Amino acid sequence: MTAPFRLFLSFLFVLDLGSTLAEAETGQAGWLRYARLDGATVQRMQRDVPRSIATFESAAPVQKAREELVSGLRGLADLDLKLTDQLPPDGAIVAGTLTRLRQASAGLLPTGTLPPDGFWLKTSTVNGARFLVIAGESERAVLYGTFALLRKVATGDSVAAIDEKDAPYAPIRWVNEWNNIDGSIERGYGGRSIFWEGGHIREDLGRVNEYGRLLASIGINGISINNVNANPRVLSPEFVPEVARVADVLRPWGVRVALAIDFGSPQSLGKLPTYDPLDPSVIAWWKARVDDLYKAIPDFGGCVLKADSEGRVGPSTYGRTHADAANVVARALAPHGGVIFYRGFVYDHHMDWNNPKNDRARAAYDNFHPLDGQFDANAIVQIKHGPIDFQVREPASPLFGALERTNQAIELQITQEYMGQARHSVFLPPMWKETLDFDMHVGPGGSSPVKALVAGKTFRRPLGGFVGVSNVGLNPNWYGNHLSQANLYGFGRLAWNPDLTSARIIDEWTRLTFGSDPGVVRTVTAIQLASWRTYENYTGPLGLQNLTDIVGNHYGVAVEASERNGWGQWHRADDKGVGMDRTVATGTGYIGQYAPAVAKSYESVATCPDDLLLFMHHVPYTHRLHSGKTVIQYLYDSHYEGAAAVEQFLHDWDSLNGRVDAERFDEIRTQLDYQVGQSIVWRDAVTRWFHRASSVADAKNRVDHYPGRLEAESATLNGYVVKDVTPWETASGDKAVECSAPSCIATFRFAGGAGRYDVTIRYFDVNTGAARFRVRVGDRTLAEWTAADRVPSRRLDGSSSSRHVVREVSLAPGDTILVEGTPDGAETAALDYVEIQPHVDRRH
Ligand code: GCW
């Protein structure tokens, strides 16, 4: 090695110690990066943390805990722990099950017990030596304690003197992965499956191991690894060894593996003449398949079942009940300690829209309330948090309050199906908490938040808890958006302790994920905490639900897509008013499914909260909200506020340039910039739609007035042809232009005064090609790009509407702006408009 090269290397080494910002970060380590703390905190930790780690158990979770402590403390605080299986005389970190630690030394911990899966972190002095004890009620609880300790260190908490016991709120803390065995993921936005590929479990389960680590760190103890729209093949004998491999990888992390099953399997897979749950041959078939699974996977978690829902077969084929269906599987699982989650998501998707009494929101309660008490002790009804389907705002499902003698679990959706599909940043814990904290007013004492009901506390149920639909993928950052990881983190933290505030959760996550620079923490937490309300503001406020393409991709804006079909996500907006009348007095009666105290407040417009008004009532556009604003003006204002807030997120993020590693800084910036563009599409589409429907003008005169906007259909077109866009509200002026030649030009004439402008080109980027664009002013080329994004649309619509902004362009009166489009494949280089706005210097 040459001297200069050596010098260079040592320079790199110094850089590495001094700053973690220099390193590229992919997000793959999530919140478990163990990045070096600042110098003062490192010193403090070096003083307070003992230098060896003692464990006495060979159980895999305890070994994992030890490895985690070693790598965590090395990364965070530059500590090199010695490994030992004795209690060293000069003190140590000691990690193990409570029982085993008591055997090792009576002096480590005072008397006391721990609840299931609980842990105890305690500093003790034995014979003058300091010990930092991590005791777990179970083996996996040793891991939970370990991750809790590492979280303290990573967020800079003192570990000099601790005495803390903690235990999970509920026994069920599971995730579901809607992965198909071909490797695709239903409603997954982070790439292909980490579990499956080409009809089999993947050879390389490295990412499964990493995922298990992330799950353990937030206390998740179960996972189903295939889509609830289940392929019967997962139960076939040849699959058992494959599933067993996944279980082997996740077992050390304390995570039990489960499968989603298809109710028709006894017939489709087992070749029986029937799948009637009361038929003896069917009963025997389930038992045999389950016994077989347990031979290979002794700690198999159980099954998830979606039956009689969205085209899946179920017990109705034979006139049997959901309880019959759940119990036939429950009885096969019971001897092995397995559980069945029976999904409460059962509704008729062929309902007649013309019948004002029809209401999908009633379905879960109507289907399951009559069956209360008929489910076996190891069956759990898994209930989506709201009565419809993961919309941006829904009331708590009335079914939570209607099962007294049945186990239940709440299903929350971590993957952002209706929440911008990870292309929009939406931090969901504030929304989940509204449901979890909502008082259903049932049970002894008449007060019962949803969290207590689902955890089985209200009616003293043996089982219950939390299920999150996660859908991570092979993308290095798991979800396709760094900020979306906070939703998995938040889900786990709330499943462990639903009393945590969203502010606390996001503060932890941010410090763990980006470090504790106060500016970074302040900015990231503020963006995350405001993001749900912001998203709601521009996609479906006042309980309208998401005004998205309900029958298509659930992504872009399409205000009428929910209407005139059987899917039941109706908002019933017409020329006079908007909203679903769900009252008992004149509507669908849905409100009557709640306990009287809740029903009373929803039944009257005078007491119904504004946020849910249009979910519960049909009102004229001129109806005044509690705030005094009319409904229509609120719809206009909230959409403008929402879009403006996203733009502010982007500016706030920009202030972190240089304070977050470049890779994640750029990726998040790109995401937020895209979200700004989409929020404008939403804003314009929804406000224009309601303007046209209601004929009520925007008091602030913004809707249908767009200063600086030049429509493509009014430009001078060379090769481009004008095209009507469907739905009309997704294109400015209802129209776009498409190129029907090898290349085309749209020429826009600038009529403003001389100055510096930002020029936005609004175009359509469908997923069937990669068209090219070039923008010129005279012979100056301003920008060139390829429309190669992969948004979920092959049509010109709200999903494919995209924008390119060229900043600080000098323009003079009479200048012509030429946009040249070159189609590719089925992508027509379509244009919507050019918008020219005075440039505002935002540098501080
Ligand atoms: O929200 C709907 C989704 C479906 C999903 C279904 C369910 C797995 O659009 O993709 O199917 O809910 O929860 O079963």
Side-chain angles (χ1 to χ4, degrees), residues 178 186-187 189 227-230 306 309-310 312 343 345 347 360 382 384 388-391 411 413 417-418 469 471 550 552-554 567 569:
W178 291 349
E186 182 158 348
R187 316 298 178 189
Y189 311 105
N227 194 349
V228 289
N229 292 325
K306 172 177 179 180
S309 165
E310 299 187 332
R312 311 297 304 177
R343 294 183 84 234
F345 187 60
Y347 68 101
R360 169 169 166 187
Q382 179 170 321
K384 290 193 184 190
I388 299 284
D389 189 10
F390 303 133
Q391 300 298 288
E411 181 177 305
Q413 200 184 41
E417 175 180 358
Y418 284 98
V469 178
N471 293 1
I550 294 296
N553 60 22
H554 299 185
W567 290 94
Q569 288 178 232

